[in-house]
Amino acid sequence: MSSLWSLAPCKITLWEHYPVQPSRLSLKLAISNASENKNHSLPLKLCCCDSSDSTAVIGSTNNNSAPPVMRKKKRVRYRREYPGESKGITEEMRFVAMRLRNLKGKKYPSSPHNSNSDCEDSSNDDVEHEQEVKQDNDGETWKPSMDAFVKYLVDSQLVFNTIERIVDDSNDVAYAYFRKTGLERSEGISRDLEWFSEQGIIIPEPSTPGVSYAKYLEELAEKSAPLFLSHFYNIYFSHVAGGQVIERQVSEKILDGRKLEVYRWEGDPEEMLKDVREKLNMLGEHWTRDEKNKSLKEAAKSFKFLGQIVRLIILL
């Protein structure tokens, strides 16, 4: 190293005269006229640098380096929320129901819950449903018959039996949240059909609307829990919101005021519905947006199936 310092009268770059670049050098030295002119000696210049930078020069900077390239930040795009999305999947379904009810100005008695998510205006819903039940799509007054209403009960029982059995027997954890909700209707319908049989009314086999819907529900339950639960939710909401109005109309016209078992609950049905809604919203938080979109499409299918069953009351 002594031979190296003998070159001090000239301003040097240490690496230029060192045969092998040191591997762990962290300081670079700049020496200028230090040995001959002590009065004009310059202070030792030290700078910290990375030893891996073989192009660095002692006492100077690289003025030829290109300026850093400024990268333009990508604009963040936020997805637009679906109607009711902030409140939960059941609120999104409510908006689907509202659009279908107002489609081309036609309204159907089978459409579920027009009330808000807290069921605050359920009394207003009953009034709307009652007006809808009194008239069909062509403005003709409903004239239900005993045989037609029994046919409606038979198909409804098949649908309720199907969803209750699927929920009770399935190993899917999601279905376990909806067991014994208090909304189950199959046993009540069985007692009503037994009473009709005692009155001499022939109890028919389930018809095409009920059979088709039950088969579809079984296939859907094996395919996807979110899609099946969309039907589960809307079947019960439809029954509570529109079914009671149908029952009142039928009771007045053909049953002499008799109240059917299918419309009796042990407790407040609104509270039971609220519990189901909260559980479904909780599960919906873990669904992907694609699963939610598909469940909304299934909600529309549910209204269509239920509408076909309701119309059995006036088709005969």
Side-chain angles (χ1 to χ4, degrees), residues 186-247:
S186 58
E187 291 185 4
I189 296 178
S190 295
R191 291 193 292 268
D192 287 330
L193 291 176
E194 183 179 353
W195 180 84
F196 278 110
S197 179
E198 293 173 354
Q199 308 307 310
I201 304 297
I202 298 176
I203 308 301
E205 294 295 321
S207 61
T208 301
V211 173
S212 299
Y213 195 17
K215 181 180 179 181
Y216 183 78
L217 289 170
E218 290 180 349
E219 295 174 351
L220 200 62
E222 296 179 358
K223 178 181 178 181
S224 170
L227 304 189
F228 170 79
L229 290 175
S230 176
H231 287 263
F232 178 92
Y233 170 82
N234 286 291
I235 287 171
Y236 283 118
F237 268 89
S238 177
H239 180 70
V240 172
Q244 294 183 75
V245 181
I246 294 175
E247 187 266 346

Side-chain angles (χ1 to χ4, degrees), residues 97 100 108-113 129 142 152 155-160 163 208-210 212-214 216-217 230-243 246 298-313 315:
L100 291 176
Y108 298 86
S110 59
S111 299
H113 60 89
H129 280 294
W142 276 35
Y152 159 78
D155 279 33
S156 296
Q157 184 189 38
L158 177 60
V159 172
F160 282 116
I163 61 175
T208 301
S212 299
Y213 195 17
Y216 183 78
L217 289 170
S230 176
H231 287 263
F232 178 92
Y233 170 82
N234 286 291
I235 287 171
Y236 283 118
F237 268 89
S238 177
H239 180 70
V240 172
I246 294 175
E298 291 302 322
K301 291 182 182 180
S302 175
F303 307 149
K304 180 180 178 181
F305 278 116
L306 293 172
Q308 293 173 349
I309 295 176
V310 169
R311 287 187 61 80
L312 290 174
I313 302 175
L315 289 181

Side-chain angles (χ1 to χ4, degrees), residues 101-159:
R101 286 172 61 86
N102 296 323
L103 182 63
K104 297 181 181 181
K106 297 180 180 180
K107 296 183 178 181
Y108 298 86
S110 59
S111 299
H113 60 89
N114 272 337
S115 58
N116 58 26
S117 60
D118 294 326
C119 298
E120 293 176 351
D121 56 350
S122 59
S123 59
N124 294 332
D125 272 353
D126 289 343
V127 174
E128 290 184 8
H129 280 294
E130 190 161 1
Q131 292 173 347
E132 294 164 12
V133 170
K134 288 180 179 179
Q135 293 184 336
D136 65 8
N137 297 337
D138 299 324
E140 298 178 355
T141 302
W142 276 35
K143 295 179 181 179
S145 67
M146 190 78 73
D147 291 336
F149 183 69
V150 169
K151 194 172 184 180
Y152 159 78
L153 287 180
V154 169
D155 279 33
S156 296
Q157 184 189 38
L158 177 60
V159 172

Side-chain angles (χ1 to χ4, degrees), residues 249-262:
Q249 293 294 316
V250 172
S251 179
E252 293 174 2
K253 294 181 181 298
I254 63 176
L255 298 179
D256 297 327
R258 176 183 174 83
K259 186 173 179 62
L260 298 175
E261 293 295 323
V262 65

Side-chain angles (χ1 to χ4, degrees), residues 256-272:
D256 297 327
R258 176 183 174 83
K259 186 173 179 62
L260 298 175
E261 293 295 323
V262 65
Y263 301 109
R264 296 179 185 271
W265 286 271
E266 296 182 1
D268 184 1
E270 293 293 339
E271 289 299 320
M272 300 173 190

Side-chain angles (χ1 to χ4, degrees), residues 44-101:
L44 185 64
K45 297 181 180 180
L46 302 177
C47 62
C48 298
C49 67
D50 188 356
S51 60
S52 63
D53 187 3
S54 60
T55 62
V57 178
I58 298 178
S60 65
T61 59
N62 188 359
N63 296 326
N64 296 327
S65 61
V69 179
M70 299 298 294
R71 294 184 179 180
K72 186 178 180 180
K73 293 184 178 180
K74 293 183 179 180
R75 184 179 178 181
V76 179
R77 296 182 180 272
Y78 296 95
R79 179 179 61 81
R80 184 179 179 181
E81 277 195 351
Y82 285 72
E85 183 177 359
S86 60
K87 293 186 177 180
I89 187 62
T90 59
E91 186 69 5
E92 293 188 54
M93 292 179 184
R94 187 177 75 86
F95 276 92
V96 172
M98 292 172 61
R99 286 197 298 268
L100 291 176
R101 286 172 61 86

